[in-house]
Amino acid sequence: MDEIDREFIAFYQNVGKAYGMDSLMATIFARVYVEPGEMGMSELAEETGYSLASVSNKIRQLEPSGLITRNTKPGTRKVYVHSDKDILRIALGQLVRTRASETQPAAIEIPRMIERFEKEELSEKQQEKLEILRRYHRDMLKLDSLLEEMLEKLEKLSRQA
């Protein structure tokens, strides 16, 4: 690990906190991101001083976000990790996943819940809960609209780059 690695890792450990990353997770992402090519997972474990199992576990947690991808080379069992260096493309992927997993399903499922419970006789506390669901639904629709605008702007920026 050289000085560039160390400084970027220190920087990203602070950034990662805002995303709920622990120190190891932020270190792994930063180290892999700044690496021009692929990096062996065992090399990453050795550099960080953590066990291969710990590093593997953190990489599994990073993969769904699109920050890191894992692969193997034909004829070998060695695992390599890589990070897309196009941060705009990473952000686009994260926004697309957020829409697909949360805001768009909420637009469909929450109204069904509300409609179902509106037909029932509810206690005052249940009425309050139903109002919370209505607010959640309105907020998810607003958030989805905002995410759609952000996606359009990021795609435009990505095409200009």
Side-chain angles (χ1 to χ4, degrees):
M1 205 180 312
D2 64 27
E3 196 59 29
I4 293 173
D5 299 326
R6 284 188 282 281
E7 284 199 29
F8 188 66
I9 288 167
F11 163 77
Y12 207 82
Q13 285 177 335
N14 287 323
V15 171
K17 288 176 190 173
Y19 295 102
M21 290 183 177
D22 63 24
S23 179
L24 177 56
M25 192 178 289
T27 297
I28 289 169
F29 170 70
R31 179 61 185 93
V32 173
Y33 184 81
V34 79
E35 180 65 32
E38 294 180 319
M39 185 172 195
M41 198 178 332
S42 57
E43 178 185 357
L44 192 54
E46 188 176 309
E47 280 190 17
T48 61
Y50 284 85
S51 70
L52 187 56
S54 293
V55 169
S56 179
N57 183 39
K58 296 299 180 181
I59 288 171
R60 264 195 293 283
Q61 292 174 356
L62 288 165
E63 282 180 300
S65 67
L67 294 173
I68 287 184
T69 54
R70 171 198 321 235
N71 62 54
T72 56
K73 304 242 181 197
T76 180
R77 291 174 32 158
K78 189 170 180 178
V79 178
Y80 295 88
V81 289
H82 177 265
S83 179
D84 188 344
K85 306 308 182 239
D86 185 339
I87 205 73
L88 291 178
R89 189 171 36 229
I90 291 171
L92 276 166
Q94 290 174 332
L95 292 176
V96 166
R97 282 187 293 281
T98 299
R99 285 191 79 204
S101 66
E102 186 170 3
T103 61
Q104 291 176 329
I108 296 166
E109 297 299 323
I110 301 301
R112 289 180 189 162
M113 287 181 214
I114 293 169
E115 185 178 326
R116 177 175 159 237
F117 291 111
E118 283 177 329
K119 295 175 185 175
E120 295 183 15
E121 197 169 316
L122 302 175
S123 69
E124 188 175 323
K125 187 172 183 174
Q126 289 173 317
Q127 289 284 351
E128 289 174 13
K129 289 178 181 181
L130 195 55
E131 187 53 38
I132 290 170
L133 289 181
R134 286 186 189 105
R135 203 169 334 130
Y136 177 81
H137 179 249
R138 284 191 305 269
D139 289 348
M140 284 294 109
L141 292 177
K142 291 175 190 173
L143 181 58
D144 189 62
S145 178
L146 178 62
L147 289 173
E148 187 174 23
E149 288 176 33
M150 289 171 65
L151 279 167
E152 289 170 8
K153 288 179 181 182
L154 276 172
E155 287 169 351
K156 184 178 177 182
L157 280 173
S158 187
R159 285 191 299 269
Q160 292 173 353

